[in-house]
Amino acid sequence: MGALSLLLGWPLRAQAPSASLAKISPTGAAGLAALLSGDVPDKKGVAQAVQRQGFYAGEPLGAGDCSTCHDEIAAQWAQSAHRFASFNNPYYAASVEQFRRQRGAPASRFCAGCHDPLLLVDDTIAKTQLSRQTPAAQAGLPCLICHSIRDCQGTLGNGGYVLRADPVPPPQTEAERKQASLSAPPSAHSQRLRPALLGQPELCATCHKVGLTPEVTGAEWLRGQNDYDGWQLSMAAGQGAAAVYRPQTLTVKRCQDCHMPLETLRSGQKVRSHRFIAANSALFHLRGDTDGEQRTAEFLRDAVSVDLVVMQPAEEAGPGSKTSLSDTERSGLPRPRLASRIAVTPSQQLMVDVVLRNRRVGHRFPSGTNDSNEVWLEVTVAAAGQHSGLRDAMHLVRAQPVNEHAQPLATRDPQNLRSVIYDTSVAPADPQVVRYQVDLSELPQAKTASELVLKARLRYRKFGADYARFACAELPKTVEETTRQRCLLPPVLEVASAERTLVLHGPKPLSSEPEPQGGAVWERYLDHGLGLADGLVDQVSEATPSLLLAQALAPNRAEPELGLARLALALGRMEDVLLHTSQALQRRADHPAALWLTAQAHYRTYHWAEARPAIERAAELVPKDRNVLVLLARVRGLCGDAEGALQAADQVLKLDPESEDGHHQRLLALRDLHREAEAQAAEQRY
């Protein structure tokens, strides 16, 4: 789930229990000057801009020296959310000010490691009176922040980086570049500013993964924002053992590949984009940056797909095909319809399934501040060309944290978070189905129109109206009205949509179009079936017709068999799981999901020795999948291999030192090995 992207840490001083994990040198005025890269800010101009519009967006601070040679890259960064990460972002500023009021100014070092390093370096962040109008508060994350990080403290996040703002050697002269051979080592300038860590996802984890410690919550440790682990567990990172869809040749995507795609400069050189485009359209809109807003809309478009499946009573569930599920069990199940034109009656109660599938996001969607992102489905039925009709926009795609009284958090206050009551964000692997019942008798147009249009739209707004009102109320009273209105009304973007025509019966019954054939139609049925199979237990059987249709349309592919195996697992039919996974493995012997499901079926029926070969092989194929390693540890332990169990548990904790399952398996293995003192210590960690 998402919680405020404020990043905590350990003390810079002994008396500061909530300081940042960030280690920055030099500190004080020297560190501030170094990170500003020699820029001498116009303090009066910065203060006047903050009074006028609530933030400073003039000549960027901390990029002056860099822009001399890299003007296009500096211009990209000047648009980015990284530049507007500190008190020059009113949506962040309101939240951190609230945090400071509730937890005290020194506690906001928690935030500063990632949002306000220029206020952390000289500890200005810990002062009770903190002016938003200072250049350091309006600089965001200048170039030398990322380009000076030398190490990360694992993947714990919480600003866990080591930054050394050493002097930057001058770049090579033209003559030096010409004299240097192709095999020559990188120049001192390049070595200083381009450490290998810049290309690693672990660098991003330092600020895009959060643990809310007891010092922050005032209670127990809780997970906050966490995009890194969602990526690391996914197929995008080469893992994702349970994912049914898996290309034969898998291309691993780092954070940098998606959020820093290659751009061509005027010179023709290709460089990593420093716009860091993601989904924060609100910041672009706030500044009137239409280019950034448009780029964000394009980046989001079809990142998650929307499909519509109309469920109708059917004489049969689908084409006959051999399956372990009997005809009797399939009878009476509604038939999934994908046709673009479907015949209905004016008084019909339609069951409509909206299928969401995460196509391009390498972690959950939405992500980041998942609890303040406003993503929703809008489903409408109306006569063609008319706007009035039936409408529902209540289903939110997001996480909802609550406080100790189970009241929803609405003002980005993770210090008050105690639990998450739901998380409907879309995983990077599996489709999700949202079901609607449409009563056409409530629509007057159904009595007169010949056709109705059924439409589903997935819509996105970076901040909901309630949070925008909270944040924008903190703007100075002197702020221009146009800026205030932009702040209050973040843009609504359409991620994806789907549409069907409902043909109403006239004097003579009308027939639906035949179901689509060819292409990726089998995938659409499989998406629908997988989404239902992962849904409510008392409705999972309704996945059967779609999965059988996928199987019939793609008889030589492993994926439909894996879908049927997933359904059988949900129904507790372990023999059927093994039947379908064996079929899948015949079609593709190296598919991790087939091995994962096989191991699950054996494990859940206490056949641990039979589970072991499958999970051992899965661990070879996806060696950094923590879910696989946890099951591997448990199975090895149950088979009497305590040393092997301990080794697997240690692998989990190497990947994620905060893994509850990893600590649990480790303590069980140590007990089995009769290493009592270590087992007790492991239990304390757990």
Side-chain angles (χ1 to χ4, degrees):
M1 59 76 37
L4 183 61
S5 52
L6 305 177
L7 297 251
L8 119 127
W10 304 119
L12 292 174
R13 298 181 178 86
Q15 69 268 27
S18 300
S20 173
L21 275 176
K23 296 179 179 178
I24 303 175
S25 62
T27 57
L32 182 60
L35 293 176
L36 281 173
S37 191
D39 283 356
V40 180
D42 174 7
K43 295 180 181 180
K44 184 177 179 181
V46 171
Q48 289 175 341
V50 175
Q51 281 293 308
R52 187 175 63 255
Q53 59 185 23
F55 55 89
Y56 171 74
E59 192 67 25
L61 302 173
D65 283 352
C66 305
S67 63
T68 303
C69 297
H70 306 289
D71 60 321
E72 291 176 80
I73 295 174
Q76 293 169 3
W77 166 82
Q79 280 188 297
S80 73
H82 280 189
R83 183 209 169 168
F84 294 94
S86 186
F87 285 82
N88 52 355
N89 174 353
Y91 300 108
Y92 163 74
S95 182
V96 70
E97 290 286 25
Q98 176 179 237
F99 181 84
R100 286 162 59 82
R101 287 191 294 270
Q102 292 188 11
R103 288 287 181 261
S108 61
R109 296 186 183 108
F110 166 85
C111 324
C114 289
H115 282 275
D116 318 289
L118 297 191
L119 297 176
L120 180 66
V121 69
D122 63 358
D123 214 24
T124 300
I125 192 71
K127 295 178 180 178
T128 304
Q129 298 299 318
L130 172 61
S131 173
R132 297 190 190 186
Q133 298 181 14
T134 63
Q138 296 292 315
L141 306 176
C143 309
L144 288 184
I145 297 296
C146 292
H147 286 272
S148 298
I149 292 177
R150 292 293 177 265
D151 192 19
C152 299
Q153 299 176 48
T155 57
L156 288 171
N158 288 1
Y161 56 77
V162 177
L163 186 158
R164 292 200 302 272
D166 303 326
V168 177
Q172 287 180 318
T173 64
E174 187 65 28
E176 288 172 332
R177 281 196 293 271
K178 288 180 178 178
Q179 290 177 0
S181 66
L182 292 176
S183 59
S187 67
H189 182 79
S190 180
Q191 290 184 54
R192 162 66 178 83
L193 294 172
R194 296 188 65 185
L197 188 62
L198 275 180
Q200 300 303 316
E202 289 72 23
L203 176 68
C204 307
T206 60
C207 285
H208 292 274
K209 181 177 178 179
V210 185
L212 304 175
T213 67
E215 292 82 11
V216 172
T217 65
E220 66 273 18
W221 182 98
L222 293 167
R223 169 59 68 209
Q225 172 186 333
N226 187 5
D227 294 337
Y228 175 81
D229 281 358
W231 167 83
Q232 195 278 326
L233 271 171
S234 76
M235 198 168 58
Q239 308 309 312
V244 168
Y245 292 110
R246 193 178 194 89
Q248 195 74 46
T249 302
L250 184 62
T251 301
V252 172
K253 291 279 190 179
R254 305 166 300 165
C255 315
Q256 292 87 342
D257 294 318
C258 293
H259 295 287
M260 299 183 70
L262 292 172
E263 278 197 42
T264 304
L265 303 181
R266 290 188 299 265
S267 64
Q269 180 188 7
K270 288 185 178 294
V271 299
R272 290 281 173 193
S273 172
H274 282 59
R275 304 178 200 276
F276 304 103
I277 291 291
N280 197 338
S281 53
L283 280 179
F284 293 116
H285 183 74
L286 178 67
R287 304 193 308 273
D289 184 346
T290 54
D291 176 67
E293 194 174 329
Q294 183 178 349
R295 288 175 185 273
T296 302
E298 291 172 355
F299 186 75
L300 281 178
R301 191 166 295 123
D302 296 321
V304 174
S305 63
V306 173
D307 200 1
L308 275 168
V309 181
V310 176
M311 304 294 286
Q312 288 188 324
E315 296 179 1
E316 58 183 48
S321 59
K322 292 183 179 180
T323 174
S324 59
L325 299 172
S326 70
D327 291 339
T328 302
E329 292 167 318
R330 295 189 338 242
S331 66
L333 295 174
R335 179 189 177 92
R337 301 302 314 280
L338 297 179
S340 59
R341 296 171 63 83
I342 299 171
V344 299
T345 59
S347 60
Q348 188 168 347
Q349 297 240 357
L350 286 181
M351 195 158 62
V352 176
D353 288 346
V354 180
V355 184
L356 305 177
R357 181 172 162 193
N358 187 338
R359 299 277 178 173
R360 291 203 319 270
V361 186
H363 40 73
R364 300 191 77 89
F365 174 87
S367 61
T369 54
N370 195 354
D371 55 320
S372 66
N373 293 333
E374 192 172 51
V375 186
W376 71 98
L377 271 174
E378 181 181 274
V379 178
T380 57
V381 182
Q386 295 191 24
H387 297 292
S388 61
L390 302 178
R391 178 179 179 273
D392 185 280
M394 296 297 291
H395 180 75
L396 299 178
V397 182
R398 56 173 289 184
Q400 181 57 66
V402 294
N403 64 18
E404 61 184 322
H405 304 296
Q407 297 167 329
L409 300 185
T411 57
R412 309 257 53 250
D413 47 335
Q415 63 273 21
N416 298 319
L417 187 152
R418 295 298 177 270
S419 186
V420 177
I421 53 173
Y422 69 79
D423 184 353
T424 53
S425 59
V426 187
D430 299 322
Q432 185 182 110
V433 168
V434 184
R435 174 160 287 179
Y436 293 81
Q437 184 168 300
V438 182
D439 187 351
L440 294 181
S441 67
E442 294 184 4
L443 181 62
Q445 300 162 1
K447 297 182 177 67
T448 57
S450 60
E451 294 182 350
L452 301 173
V453 176
L454 167 67
K455 189 168 186 177
R457 305 165 73 192
L458 183 63
R459 312 194 77 188
Y460 177 94
R461 180 161 48 197
K462 173 59 182 172
F463 299 111
D466 289 343
Y467 186 73
R469 279 192 293 270
F470 161 74
C472 303
E474 297 286 314
L475 290 170
K477 298 188 186 309
T478 52
V479 164
E480 299 167 344
E481 187 58 25
T482 53
T483 301
R484 191 177 300 278
Q485 288 305 309
R486 284 197 187 116
C487 183
L488 285 167
L489 298 171
V492 175
L493 306 178
E494 184 171 299
V495 179
S497 65
E499 191 174 295
R500 298 287 178 271
T501 299
L502 305 178
V503 183
L504 294 164
H505 282 255
K508 295 182 179 179
L510 301 175
S511 60
S512 302
E513 284 185 355
E515 292 298 282
Q517 300 291 321
V521 174
W522 68 270
E523 282 193 37
R524 295 174 64 192
Y525 283 120
L526 183 56
D527 286 347
H528 182 236
L530 286 170
L532 289 177
D534 288 343
L536 298 176
V537 173
D538 58 349
Q539 294 178 335
V540 295
S541 292
E542 294 180 22
T544 307
S546 288
L547 294 174
L548 290 174
L549 285 165
Q551 182 192 51
L553 289 167
N556 297 319
R557 296 199 65 105
E559 294 91 338
E561 297 292 344
L562 293 172
L564 287 163
R566 280 263 284 274
L567 172 60
L569 190 70
L571 292 169
R573 296 173 177 170
M574 302 308 169
E575 289 185 3
D576 293 342
V577 176
L578 298 176
L579 170 67
H580 291 298
T581 55
S582 67
Q583 293 291 322
L585 288 168
Q586 287 179 28
R587 290 157 176 75
R588 186 170 165 189
D590 65 343
H591 203 305
L595 297 161
W596 169 255
L597 289 165
T598 299
Q600 286 281 345
H602 286 307
Y603 175 74
R604 294 188 190 189
T605 51
Y606 310 104
H607 296 138
W608 302 312
E610 291 84 349
R612 185 166 182 177
I615 199 64
E616 292 278 5
R617 176 60 179 145
E620 293 174 4
L621 294 172
V622 283
K624 294 183 179 181
D625 189 305
R626 282 170 284 149
N627 292 328
V628 169
L629 291 171
V630 166
L631 184 58
L632 177 63
R634 185 81 289 256
V635 168
R636 283 177 174 176
L638 291 167
C639 289
D641 181 6
E643 286 286 0
L646 181 61
Q647 181 188 41
D650 284 342
Q651 285 179 272
V652 175
L653 294 174
K654 184 178 180 181
L655 293 166
D656 180 14
E658 296 166 332
S659 168
E660 295 175 29
D661 289 331
H663 285 293
H664 187 218
Q665 295 306 322
R666 189 169 192 274
L667 79 87
L668 293 176
L670 289 167
R671 282 178 183 168
D672 288 343
L673 290 167
H674 305 293
R675 291 157 60 173
E676 298 303 331
E678 292 174 89
Q680 287 181 15
E683 185 171 10
Q684 287 298 109
R685 292 283 294 167
Y686 172 56

